Amino acid sequence: MTADNSTTDRWPPEIDTTVAHSARVWNYWLGGKDHYAVDREVGDRLSRINPDIAFTARADRAFLHRSVRHLVAEAGVRQFLDIGTGLPTAGNTHEIAQSLAPETRVVYVDNDPVVLAHAKALLVGTPEGRTNYIQADLHDPDTILRAAADTLDFTQPIAIMLLGIVHFINDDDEAYAIINRLLDAVPSGSHLALVHITAFFNPEAKREEVRHWNEHGTPKLTIRSPEQIGHFFDGLEILPPGIVSTTRWRPDIDDVPEVDGFCGVGRK
């Protein structure tokens, strides 16, 4: 493996353990170990407000597995730009992709200093492939694209993975502009995979959950409708079954409850 870690000479900035952070709370819900007392406290409060939240987190992760499998095995994608990586857990993007095609290249991007501290774990891939980690923010797509070009070939198809991150871009116009900038940079045959929170099935609980999070956690969340989420795929061929709950996107098993996390995969 060749690991061109652009963060090699940078230590993580001081981590604020007094405010819950989305990546650490998510890790807590997924059964990980990288969280602090404040993350567990807020995570437990949110679970009481909306008992489905931990299941929603697991459904998001399961969608990651299924979408990456599809993109590699059926769409033939060999490059991934995974923005909003989160903390490493079992079945990271490179592990799934490289188990099917060892030559796959994966670039992870996150702005959380805790994720930076775990970057080495994300950089362990196959000898044939390449993995890299970039400390950057989705608000600055040009920086992401410049750094990713050290590892990815932007003349060949790339899958842009935005799972559970765009809802942290609170301004609608900015969110659409960022995704358009990323898609403009990749060639035909590239894909966008996206997960975003909604308040479609359980609106009262979801809105109270988000209100509580925005009061006690960081970064702040924005709920969008399935129709608004669909607009992120404007100009793309949306793969069946369309913009759906994460549990309904090509599920491995049937009769799984739908959740207020909607997803889609589109082809440029």
PDB file of all heavy atoms in Angstrom, residues 34-58:
ATOM      1  N   ASP A  34     -14.731   5.258  20.713  1.00  0.00           N
ATOM      2  CA  ASP A  34     -14.081   6.565  20.615  1.00  0.00           C
ATOM      3  C   ASP A  34     -15.081   7.685  20.895  1.00  0.00           C
ATOM      4  O   ASP A  34     -15.538   8.376  19.977  1.00  0.00           O
ATOM      5  CB  ASP A  34     -13.443   6.735  19.238  1.00  0.00           C
ATOM      6  CG  ASP A  34     -12.376   5.682  18.984  1.00  0.00           C
ATOM      7  OD1 ASP A  34     -11.407   5.660  19.746  1.00  0.00           O
ATOM      8  OD2 ASP A  34     -12.541   4.886  18.046  1.00  0.00           O
ATOM      9  N   HIS A  35     -15.399   7.866  22.176  1.00  0.00           N
ATOM     10  CA  HIS A  35     -16.342   8.908  22.570  1.00  0.00           C
ATOM     11  C   HIS A  35     -16.078   9.268  24.024  1.00  0.00           C
ATOM     12  O   HIS A  35     -15.422   8.525  24.764  1.00  0.00           O
ATOM     13  CB  HIS A  35     -17.795   8.441  22.383  1.00  0.00           C
ATOM     14  CG  HIS A  35     -18.022   6.999  22.734  1.00  0.00           C
ATOM     15  ND1 HIS A  35     -18.068   6.544  24.032  1.00  0.00           N
ATOM     16  CD2 HIS A  35     -18.192   5.913  21.953  1.00  0.00           C
ATOM     17  CE1 HIS A  35     -18.273   5.235  24.042  1.00  0.00           C
ATOM     18  NE2 HIS A  35     -18.338   4.827  22.786  1.00  0.00           N
ATOM     19  N   TYR A  36     -16.603  10.428  24.402  1.00  0.00           N
ATOM     20  CA  TYR A  36     -16.413  10.928  25.755  1.00  0.00           C
ATOM     21  C   TYR A  36     -17.754  10.949  26.490  1.00  0.00           C
ATOM     22  O   TYR A  36     -18.812  10.699  25.903  1.00  0.00           O
ATOM     23  CB  TYR A  36     -15.807  12.335  25.709  1.00  0.00           C
ATOM     24  CG  TYR A  36     -14.451  12.385  25.052  1.00  0.00           C
ATOM     25  CD1 TYR A  36     -14.309  12.838  23.742  1.00  0.00           C
ATOM     26  CD2 TYR A  36     -13.317  11.959  25.732  1.00  0.00           C
ATOM     27  CE1 TYR A  36     -13.064  12.879  23.129  1.00  0.00           C
ATOM     28  CE2 TYR A  36     -12.068  12.001  25.129  1.00  0.00           C
ATOM     29  CZ  TYR A  36     -11.950  12.450  23.826  1.00  0.00           C
ATOM     30  OH  TYR A  36     -10.719  12.478  23.229  1.00  0.00           O
ATOM     31  N   ALA A  37     -17.682  11.275  27.778  1.00  0.00           N
ATOM     32  CA  ALA A  37     -18.897  11.260  28.597  1.00  0.00           C
ATOM     33  C   ALA A  37     -19.966  12.179  28.014  1.00  0.00           C
ATOM     34  O   ALA A  37     -21.151  11.826  27.986  1.00  0.00           O
ATOM     35  CB  ALA A  37     -18.561  11.675  30.030  1.00  0.00           C
ATOM     36  N   VAL A  38     -19.570  13.364  27.536  1.00  0.00           N
ATOM     37  CA  VAL A  38     -20.554  14.302  26.991  1.00  0.00           C
ATOM     38  C   VAL A  38     -21.238  13.701  25.760  1.00  0.00           C
ATOM     39  O   VAL A  38     -22.437  13.916  25.535  1.00  0.00           O
ATOM     40  CB  VAL A  38     -19.896  15.653  26.661  1.00  0.00           C
ATOM     41  CG1 VAL A  38     -18.882  15.533  25.525  1.00  0.00           C
ATOM     42  CG2 VAL A  38     -20.944  16.701  26.334  1.00  0.00           C
ATOM     43  N   ASP A  39     -20.501  12.942  24.950  1.00  0.00           N
ATOM     44  CA  ASP A  39     -21.095  12.312  23.763  1.00  0.00           C
ATOM     45  C   ASP A  39     -22.103  11.243  24.156  1.00  0.00           C
ATOM     46  O   ASP A  39     -23.181  11.148  23.567  1.00  0.00           O
ATOM     47  CB  ASP A  39     -19.995  11.700  22.892  1.00  0.00           C
ATOM     48  CG  ASP A  39     -18.913  12.700  22.534  1.00  0.00           C
ATOM     49  OD1 ASP A  39     -19.263  13.756  21.986  1.00  0.00           O
ATOM     50  OD2 ASP A  39     -17.733  12.419  22.810  1.00  0.00           O
ATOM     51  N   ARG A  40     -21.762  10.456  25.158  1.00  0.00           N
ATOM     52  CA  ARG A  40     -22.687   9.417  25.623  1.00  0.00           C
ATOM     53  C   ARG A  40     -23.930  10.031  26.258  1.00  0.00           C
ATOM     54  O   ARG A  40     -25.048   9.545  26.051  1.00  0.00           O
ATOM     55  CB  ARG A  40     -21.974   8.491  26.617  1.00  0.00           C
ATOM     56  CG  ARG A  40     -20.813   7.721  25.997  1.00  0.00           C
ATOM     57  CD  ARG A  40     -20.254   6.686  26.940  1.00  0.00           C
ATOM     58  NE  ARG A  40     -19.542   7.264  28.081  1.00  0.00           N
ATOM     59  CZ  ARG A  40     -18.262   7.631  28.059  1.00  0.00           C
ATOM     60  NH1 ARG A  40     -17.546   7.489  26.949  1.00  0.00           N
ATOM     61  NH2 ARG A  40     -17.677   8.114  29.143  1.00  0.00           N
ATOM     62  N   GLU A  41     -23.729  11.109  27.005  1.00  0.00           N
ATOM     63  CA  GLU A  41     -24.869  11.769  27.653  1.00  0.00           C
ATOM     64  C   GLU A  41     -25.847  12.310  26.622  1.00  0.00           C
ATOM     65  O   GLU A  41     -27.060  12.069  26.704  1.00  0.00           O
ATOM     66  CB  GLU A  41     -24.365  12.898  28.558  1.00  0.00           C
ATOM     67  CG  GLU A  41     -25.473  13.651  29.273  1.00  0.00           C
ATOM     68  CD  GLU A  41     -24.939  14.787  30.123  1.00  0.00           C
ATOM     69  OE1 GLU A  41     -23.703  14.891  30.284  1.00  0.00           O
ATOM     70  OE2 GLU A  41     -25.762  15.583  30.618  1.00  0.00           O
ATOM     71  N   VAL A  42     -25.330  13.040  25.631  1.00  0.00           N
ATOM     72  CA  VAL A  42     -26.198  13.596  24.597  1.00  0.00           C
ATOM     73  C   VAL A  42     -26.779  12.484  23.742  1.00  0.00           C
ATOM     74  O   VAL A  42     -27.961  12.518  23.373  1.00  0.00           O
ATOM     75  CB  VAL A  42     -25.424  14.610  23.738  1.00  0.00           C
ATOM     76  CG1 VAL A  42     -26.259  15.044  22.530  1.00  0.00           C
ATOM     77  CG2 VAL A  42     -25.052  15.833  24.572  1.00  0.00           C
ATOM     78  N   GLY A  43     -25.974  11.481  23.422  1.00  0.00           N
ATOM     79  CA  GLY A  43     -26.474  10.356  22.645  1.00  0.00           C
ATOM     80  C   GLY A  43     -27.623   9.635  23.334  1.00  0.00           C
ATOM     81  O   GLY A  43     -28.611   9.262  22.694  1.00  0.00           O
ATOM     82  N   ASP A  44     -27.522   9.471  24.651  1.00  0.00           N
ATOM     83  CA  ASP A  44     -28.594   8.813  25.401  1.00  0.00           C
ATOM     84  C   ASP A  44     -29.849   9.682  25.452  1.00  0.00           C
ATOM     85  O   ASP A  44     -30.974   9.174  25.357  1.00  0.00           O
ATOM     86  CB  ASP A  44     -28.124   8.490  26.820  1.00  0.00           C
ATOM     87  CG  ASP A  44     -27.115   7.347  26.860  1.00  0.00           C
ATOM     88  OD1 ASP A  44     -27.060   6.572  25.876  1.00  0.00           O
ATOM     89  OD2 ASP A  44     -26.389   7.228  27.862  1.00  0.00           O
ATOM     90  N   ARG A  45     -29.661  10.996  25.588  1.00  0.00           N
ATOM     91  CA  ARG A  45     -30.821  11.896  25.594  1.00  0.00           C
ATOM     92  C   ARG A  45     -31.544  11.835  24.252  1.00  0.00           C
ATOM     93  O   ARG A  45     -32.780  11.778  24.189  1.00  0.00           O
ATOM     94  CB  ARG A  45     -30.367  13.337  25.851  1.00  0.00           C
ATOM     95  CG  ARG A  45     -30.036  13.671  27.282  1.00  0.00           C
ATOM     96  CD  ARG A  45     -29.786  15.169  27.390  1.00  0.00           C
ATOM     97  NE  ARG A  45     -28.821  15.486  28.421  1.00  0.00           N
ATOM     98  CZ  ARG A  45     -28.066  16.573  28.432  1.00  0.00           C
ATOM     99  NH1 ARG A  45     -28.137  17.433  27.426  1.00  0.00           N
ATOM    100  NH2 ARG A  45     -27.232  16.817  29.422  1.00  0.00           N
ATOM    101  N   LEU A  46     -30.782  11.846  23.172  1.00  0.00           N
ATOM    102  CA  LEU A  46     -31.391  11.788  21.840  1.00  0.00           C
ATOM    103  C   LEU A  46     -32.102  10.463  21.624  1.00  0.00           C
ATOM    104  O   LEU A  46     -33.162  10.424  20.984  1.00  0.00           O
ATOM    105  CB  LEU A  46     -30.326  12.000  20.764  1.00  0.00           C
ATOM    106  CG  LEU A  46     -29.674  13.388  20.735  1.00  0.00           C
ATOM    107  CD1 LEU A  46     -28.561  13.418  19.695  1.00  0.00           C
ATOM    108  CD2 LEU A  46     -30.700  14.469  20.446  1.00  0.00           C
ATOM    109  N   SER A  47     -31.555   9.397  22.158  1.00  0.00           N
ATOM    110  CA  SER A  47     -32.207   8.090  22.032  1.00  0.00           C
ATOM    111  C   SER A  47     -33.523   8.050  22.795  1.00  0.00           C
ATOM    112  O   SER A  47     -34.470   7.360  22.386  1.00  0.00           O
ATOM    113  CB  SER A  47     -31.276   6.988  22.545  1.00  0.00           C
ATOM    114  OG  SER A  47     -30.144   6.871  21.714  1.00  0.00           O
ATOM    115  N   ARG A  48     -33.595   8.793  23.910  1.00  0.00           N
ATOM    116  CA  ARG A  48     -34.871   8.858  24.634  1.00  0.00           C
ATOM    117  C   ARG A  48     -35.888   9.698  23.865  1.00  0.00           C
ATOM    118  O   ARG A  48     -37.084   9.383  23.857  1.00  0.00           O
ATOM    119  CB  ARG A  48     -34.645   9.428  26.041  1.00  0.00           C
ATOM    120  CG  ARG A  48     -33.915   8.472  26.980  1.00  0.00           C
ATOM    121  CD  ARG A  48     -33.982   8.941  28.418  1.00  0.00           C
ATOM    122  NE  ARG A  48     -33.217  10.160  28.639  1.00  0.00           N
ATOM    123  CZ  ARG A  48     -31.929  10.187  28.973  1.00  0.00           C
ATOM    124  NH1 ARG A  48     -31.246   9.053  29.107  1.00  0.00           N
ATOM    125  NH2 ARG A  48     -31.313  11.349  29.180  1.00  0.00           N
ATOM    126  N   ILE A  49     -35.424  10.771  23.231  1.00  0.00           N
ATOM    127  CA  ILE A  49     -36.325  11.598  22.432  1.00  0.00           C
ATOM    128  C   ILE A  49     -36.822  10.834  21.215  1.00  0.00           C
ATOM    129  O   ILE A  49     -38.009  10.865  20.872  1.00  0.00           O
ATOM    130  CB  ILE A  49     -35.613  12.893  21.983  1.00  0.00           C
ATOM    131  CG1 ILE A  49     -35.317  13.776  23.206  1.00  0.00           C
ATOM    132  CG2 ILE A  49     -36.454  13.665  20.959  1.00  0.00           C
ATOM    133  CD1 ILE A  49     -34.391  14.943  22.892  1.00  0.00           C
ATOM    134  N   ASN A  50     -35.904  10.147  20.538  1.00  0.00           N
ATOM    135  CA  ASN A  50     -36.229   9.389  19.327  1.00  0.00           C
ATOM    136  C   ASN A  50     -35.585   8.007  19.437  1.00  0.00           C
ATOM    137  O   ASN A  50     -34.417   7.829  19.101  1.00  0.00           O
ATOM    138  CB  ASN A  50     -35.713  10.118  18.088  1.00  0.00           C
ATOM    139  CG  ASN A  50     -36.080   9.396  16.804  1.00  0.00           C
ATOM    140  OD1 ASN A  50     -36.752   8.360  16.823  1.00  0.00           O
ATOM    141  ND2 ASN A  50     -35.643   9.921  15.673  1.00  0.00           N
ATOM    142  N   PRO A  51     -36.332   7.013  19.929  1.00  0.00           N
ATOM    143  CA  PRO A  51     -35.759   5.680  20.143  1.00  0.00           C
ATOM    144  C   PRO A  51     -35.217   5.026  18.875  1.00  0.00           C
ATOM    145  O   PRO A  51     -34.470   4.048  18.967  1.00  0.00           O
ATOM    146  CB  PRO A  51     -36.946   4.882  20.705  1.00  0.00           C
ATOM    147  CG  PRO A  51     -37.859   5.898  21.306  1.00  0.00           C
ATOM    148  CD  PRO A  51     -37.725   7.099  20.412  1.00  0.00           C
ATOM    149  N   ASP A  52     -35.570   5.558  17.692  1.00  0.00           N
ATOM    150  CA  ASP A  52     -35.107   4.965  16.439  1.00  0.00           C
ATOM    151  C   ASP A  52     -33.720   5.447  16.022  1.00  0.00           C
ATOM    152  O   ASP A  52     -33.170   4.964  15.026  1.00  0.00           O
ATOM    153  CB  ASP A  52     -36.090   5.293  15.304  1.00  0.00           C
ATOM    154  CG  ASP A  52     -37.442   4.646  15.497  1.00  0.00           C
ATOM    155  OD1 ASP A  52     -37.506   3.592  16.167  1.00  0.00           O
ATOM    156  OD2 ASP A  52     -38.435   5.197  14.989  1.00  0.00           O
ATOM    157  N   ILE A  53     -33.131   6.391  16.756  1.00  0.00           N
ATOM    158  CA  ILE A  53     -31.937   7.067  16.251  1.00  0.00           C
ATOM    159  C   ILE A  53     -30.750   6.125  16.106  1.00  0.00           C
ATOM    160  O   ILE A  53     -30.008   6.185  15.118  1.00  0.00           O
ATOM    161  CB  ILE A  53     -31.575   8.285  17.142  1.00  0.00           C
ATOM    162  CG1 ILE A  53     -30.417   9.079  16.528  1.00  0.00           C
ATOM    163  CG2 ILE A  53     -31.262   7.864  18.563  1.00  0.00           C
ATOM    164  CD1 ILE A  53     -30.731   9.677  15.178  1.00  0.00           C
ATOM    165  N   ALA A  54     -30.531   5.233  17.061  1.00  0.00           N
ATOM    166  CA  ALA A  54     -29.401   4.308  16.952  1.00  0.00           C
ATOM    167  C   ALA A  54     -29.601   3.345  15.782  1.00  0.00           C
ATOM    168  O   ALA A  54     -28.651   3.010  15.063  1.00  0.00           O
ATOM    169  CB  ALA A  54     -29.208   3.541  18.251  1.00  0.00           C
ATOM    170  N   PHE A  55     -30.850   2.912  15.572  1.00  0.00           N
ATOM    171  CA  PHE A  55     -31.135   2.051  14.426  1.00  0.00           C
ATOM    172  C   PHE A  55     -30.891   2.797  13.115  1.00  0.00           C
ATOM    173  O   PHE A  55     -30.386   2.229  12.151  1.00  0.00           O
ATOM    174  CB  PHE A  55     -32.582   1.554  14.489  1.00  0.00           C
ATOM    175  CG  PHE A  55     -32.979   0.699  13.324  1.00  0.00           C
ATOM    176  CD1 PHE A  55     -32.519  -0.598  13.208  1.00  0.00           C
ATOM    177  CD2 PHE A  55     -33.806   1.205  12.326  1.00  0.00           C
ATOM    178  CE1 PHE A  55     -32.874  -1.391  12.126  1.00  0.00           C
ATOM    179  CE2 PHE A  55     -34.162   0.436  11.243  1.00  0.00           C
ATOM    180  CZ  PHE A  55     -33.700  -0.876  11.143  1.00  0.00           C
ATOM    181  N   THR A  56     -31.243   4.090  13.096  1.00  0.00           N
ATOM    182  CA  THR A  56     -30.983   4.915  11.910  1.00  0.00           C
ATOM    183  C   THR A  56     -29.495   4.984  11.613  1.00  0.00           C
ATOM    184  O   THR A  56     -29.072   4.917  10.449  1.00  0.00           O
ATOM    185  CB  THR A  56     -31.554   6.329  12.108  1.00  0.00           C
ATOM    186  OG1 THR A  56     -32.966   6.240  12.329  1.00  0.00           O
ATOM    187  CG2 THR A  56     -31.296   7.208  10.901  1.00  0.00           C
ATOM    188  N   ALA A  57     -28.673   5.121  12.653  1.00  0.00           N
ATOM    189  CA  ALA A  57     -27.223   5.156  12.462  1.00  0.00           C
ATOM    190  C   ALA A  57     -26.724   3.839  11.871  1.00  0.00           C
ATOM    191  O   ALA A  57     -25.891   3.827  10.958  1.00  0.00           O
ATOM    192  CB  ALA A  57     -26.528   5.435  13.797  1.00  0.00           C
ATOM    193  N   ARG A  58     -27.238   2.729  12.369  1.00  0.00           N
ATOM    194  CA  ARG A  58     -26.820   1.426  11.840  1.00  0.00           C
ATOM    195  C   ARG A  58     -27.309   1.231  10.409  1.00  0.00           C
ATOM    196  O   ARG A  58     -26.629   0.627   9.580  1.00  0.00           O
ATOM    197  CB  ARG A  58     -27.321   0.304  12.746  1.00  0.00           C
ATOM    198  CG  ARG A  58     -26.669   0.312  14.129  1.00  0.00           C
ATOM    199  CD  ARG A  58     -26.965  -0.950  14.894  1.00  0.00           C
ATOM    200  NE  ARG A  58     -28.373  -1.092  15.220  1.00  0.00           N
ATOM    201  CZ  ARG A  58     -28.954  -0.602  16.313  1.00  0.00           C
ATOM    202  NH1 ARG A  58     -28.212   0.083  17.187  1.00  0.00           N
ATOM    203  NH2 ARG A  58     -30.232  -0.765  16.546  1.00  0.00           N
TER     204      ARG A  58
END
